[in-house]
């Protein structure tokens, strides 16, 4: 086995995922190709040496489909010999792309691979790719399918998280994100997306609401209450009959935002780093994906984290920082509770509640965010993970070198 090292990473800013968003005019393949171009320029990369570009995408359909990793390589004018592919594990697609890239290096089947991800949610709406787990009655009924928002509210109900708990967490996400941006923590890793004639479109995450107050959050309606009343609550309670009702606490303010974006991570072995005169920034210690109950759906972070720790031969105390995607406030609150993590060690620069969650790209984005933070604080290790649709979780452990 060989060690897999992270040489560099970068991402686009996140644009609001609607027609009025700053990145709506930019297709997914253009978002990803600009990301690959920036990666090439920043590392002076000979793209003829890149042996695969693995691209995560949460709705791999239409202009985001057909092996967008290869399409983006061609648009970015990488070497024609550089292959590309596309993978889909819902919200963890971007992190899974990084993990698969690392696996190719660890197994010595490749020396240099890019793990990346992209999502244009303003152009390809969430859920566009469909799927049997949600739309085939023979399966949906069997697994007590409910939407992710109902699952998030189900977690809150099962574990007694209140609306105020969720809003307080969301407020802190906004505060931490604003602090990170204001202090330049993201500057080295976020590049400006440009239009077709090279004019700047977006340089900073667009979804943030730094002036949000707890009072503002308290005024927002529970997004999934009507959906629950239309039958999903009954479906969830049929799986969890100990509950009399679902407490709907999630709103647009304490759930992840719908946004556009892309990210990329350059991964290779030690010999390739020397050959290309690149300094490895971190080593990928381990990674793991797990399956969990598809009804409550979003409880995968804890078992995936524990599995990754076991595979790395590490204890929780060995981890300096945790980065968990803020899909919904209750997901992070449960992880903090189950893993007994101090709040000042997790999502220290905010997360998707403030910045948004471009599904296929988020995993690669948050890995880069926590790597930068490890370097800023001169810390050693981080665990990155995400809850995943259909009842899964994906985790990765990195260690600075």
């Amino acid at each position: 086995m060989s060690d897999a090292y992270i040489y560099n990473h970068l991402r686009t800013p996140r644009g609001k995922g609607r027609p009025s968003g700053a990145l709506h005019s930019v297709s997914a393949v253009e978002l990803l190709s600009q990301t690959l171009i920036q990666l090439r320029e920043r590392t002076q990369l000979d793209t003829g040496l890149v042996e695969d570009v693995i691209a995560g995408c949460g709705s791999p359909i239409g202009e985001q489909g057909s092996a967008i990793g290869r399409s983006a390589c061609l648009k970015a004018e990488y070497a024609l010999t550089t292959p590309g592919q596309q993978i889909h594990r819902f919200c963890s697609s971007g992190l899974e792309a990084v993990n698969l890239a690392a696996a190719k290096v660890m197994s010595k089947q490749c020396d240099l691979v890019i793990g990346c991800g992209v999502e244009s949610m303003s152009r390809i709406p969430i859920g566009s790719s469909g799927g049997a787990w949600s739309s085939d009655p023979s399966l949906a009924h069997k697994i007590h399918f409910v939407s992710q928002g109902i699952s998030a509210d189900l977690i809150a109900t099962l574990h007694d998280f209140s609306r105020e708990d969720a809003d307080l967490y969301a407020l802190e996400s906004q505060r931490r994100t604003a602090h990170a941006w204001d202090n330049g923590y993201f500057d080295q890793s976020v590049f400006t997306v440009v239009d077709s004639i090279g004019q700047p479109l977006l340089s900073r995450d667009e979804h943030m609401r730094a002036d949000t107050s707890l009072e503002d959050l308290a005024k927002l309606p529970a997004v999934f209450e009507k959906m629950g009343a239309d039958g999903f609550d009954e479906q969830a309670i049929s799986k969890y009959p100990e509950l009399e009702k679902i407490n709907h606490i999630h709103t647009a303010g304490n759930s992840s935002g719908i946004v556009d974006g892309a990210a990329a991570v350059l991964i290779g072995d030690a010999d390739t780093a020397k050959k290309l005169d690149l300094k490895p920034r971190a080593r990928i210690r381990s990674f793991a994906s797990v399956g969990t109950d598809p009804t409550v759906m979003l409880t995968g972070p804890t078992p995936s984290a524990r599995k990754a720790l076991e595979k790395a031969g590490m204890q929780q105390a060995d981890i300096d920082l945790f980065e968990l995607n803020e899909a919904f406030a209750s997901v992070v609150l449960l992880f903090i509770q189950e893993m007994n993590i101090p709040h000042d060690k997790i999502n220290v620069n905010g997360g998707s509640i403030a910045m948004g969650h471009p599904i296929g790209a988020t995993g690669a984005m948050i890995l880069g965010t926590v790597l930068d933070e490890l370097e800023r604080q001169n810390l050693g290790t981080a665990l990155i993970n995400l809850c995943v649709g259909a009842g899964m979780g994906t985790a990765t452990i990195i260690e600075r070198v």
Side-chain angles (χ1 to χ4, degrees):
M1 293 287 288
S2 176
D3 283 328
Y5 294 97
I6 298 170
Y7 302 150
N8 211 341
H9 73 88
L10 77 168
R11 70 169 176 93
T12 70
R14 296 157 161 113
K16 292 179 180 178
R18 51 181 185 240
S20 61
L23 300 182
H24 176 66
S25 63
V26 186
S27 67
V29 71
E30 177 65 21
L31 281 175
L32 188 53
S33 69
Q34 287 195 30
T35 307
L36 295 177
I37 289 168
Q38 288 288 326
L39 188 64
R40 178 184 64 206
E41 293 180 352
R42 292 187 183 201
T43 57
Q44 298 297 298
L45 181 63
D46 177 356
T47 60
L49 299 176
V50 178
E51 295 178 272
D52 207 355
V53 174
I54 306 172
C57 185
S59 291
I61 191 172
E63 64 186 27
Q64 288 190 161
S66 296
I68 196 170
R70 173 61 171 170
S71 298
C73 285
L74 294 172
K75 192 168 182 60
E77 298 184 349
Y78 271 41
L80 290 178
T81 55
T82 304
Q85 59 170 294
Q86 181 169 284
I87 67 157
H88 174 29
R89 199 193 291 274
F90 299 105
C91 297
S92 72
S93 297
L95 188 60
E96 196 67 69
V98 172
N99 293 347
L100 289 176
K104 287 196 168 198
V105 172
M106 290 174 172
S107 64
K108 298 187 177 181
Q109 300 306 302
C110 291
D111 300 326
L112 187 65
V113 185
I114 295 172
C116 56
V118 65
E119 205 78 33
S120 178
M121 301 181 79
S122 69
R123 297 167 68 99
I124 307 293
I126 185 171
S128 294
S129 56
W133 75 294
S134 61
S135 61
D136 183 338
S138 67
L139 177 59
H141 179 72
K142 183 176 183 178
I143 64 173
H144 299 265
F145 168 79
V146 297
S147 74
Q148 288 195 1
I150 300 296
S151 295
D153 286 338
L154 176 58
I155 288 173
T157 306
L158 287 168
H159 297 276
D160 295 322
F161 299 133
S162 69
R163 169 70 180 269
E164 185 178 18
D165 293 333
D167 285 350
L168 284 168
Y169 180 84
L171 187 67
E172 181 64 6
S173 179
Q174 295 283 357
R175 188 198 69 79
R176 291 181 179 190
T177 297
H179 179 266
W181 268 111
D182 290 347
N183 286 275
Y185 296 171
F186 300 140
D187 288 355
Q188 69 173 342
S189 301
V190 179
F191 70 91
T192 299
V193 175
V194 299
D195 65 15
S196 59
I197 59 172
Q199 295 300 304
L201 288 174
L202 189 65
S203 301
R204 186 180 173 98
D205 294 324
E206 190 180 23
H207 185 267
M208 300 177 297
R209 296 180 178 86
D211 59 349
T212 297
S213 68
L214 194 61
E215 292 73 24
D216 293 331
L217 291 172
K219 295 175 184 176
L220 297 173
V223 177
F224 307 104
E225 191 165 17
K226 183 180 184 304
M227 186 182 294
D230 288 341
F232 277 129
D233 280 2
E234 184 179 350
Q235 181 81 314
I237 291 170
S238 70
K239 183 67 177 291
Y240 291 89
E242 66 270 28
L243 300 178
E244 292 185 4
K245 68 174 186 175
I246 305 297
N247 183 20
H248 293 284
I249 71 164
H250 286 95
T251 70
N254 56 36
S255 306
S256 57
I258 293 173
V259 294
D260 304 333
V265 182
L266 183 62
I267 297 169
D269 61 15
D271 290 340
T272 302
K274 293 177 183 177
K275 181 178 179 180
L276 300 180
D277 195 25
L278 292 170
K279 182 180 179 181
R281 296 174 62 183
R283 177 167 66 104
I284 295 179
R285 287 286 302 265
S286 70
F287 43 83
S289 289
V290 302
T292 61
D293 171 30
T295 304
V296 74
M297 196 186 310
L298 308 175
T299 57
T302 295
S304 63
R306 288 173 175 163
K307 187 173 182 179
L309 285 166
E310 180 182 358
K311 287 185 175 295
M314 300 173 72
Q315 303 296 320
Q316 182 174 322
D318 298 324
I319 302 298
D320 295 316
L321 294 175
F322 294 83
E323 195 76 18
L324 172 61
N325 181 41
E326 294 175 349
F328 300 91
S330 66
V331 173
V332 188
L333 294 173
L334 178 62
F335 186 70
I336 289 172
Q337 182 183 89
E338 290 182 331
M339 299 287 286
N340 193 27
I341 299 170
H343 196 182
D344 62 1
K345 290 184 66 173
I346 185 168
N347 298 348
V348 298
N349 290 323
S352 293
I353 287 175
M355 290 180 277
H357 175 24
I359 294 174
T362 304
M365 285 183 169
I366 65 175
L367 181 146
T369 294
V370 78
L371 173 54
D372 289 350
E373 186 63 19
L374 287 176
E375 293 173 343
R376 192 184 73 81
Q377 293 194 39
N378 195 27
L379 299 174
T381 58
L383 189 151
I384 305 100
N385 64 354
L386 303 92
C387 60
V388 183
M392 293 183 284
T394 297
T396 303
I397 295 175
I398 63 173
E399 178 181 41
R400 284 181 60 207
V401 295

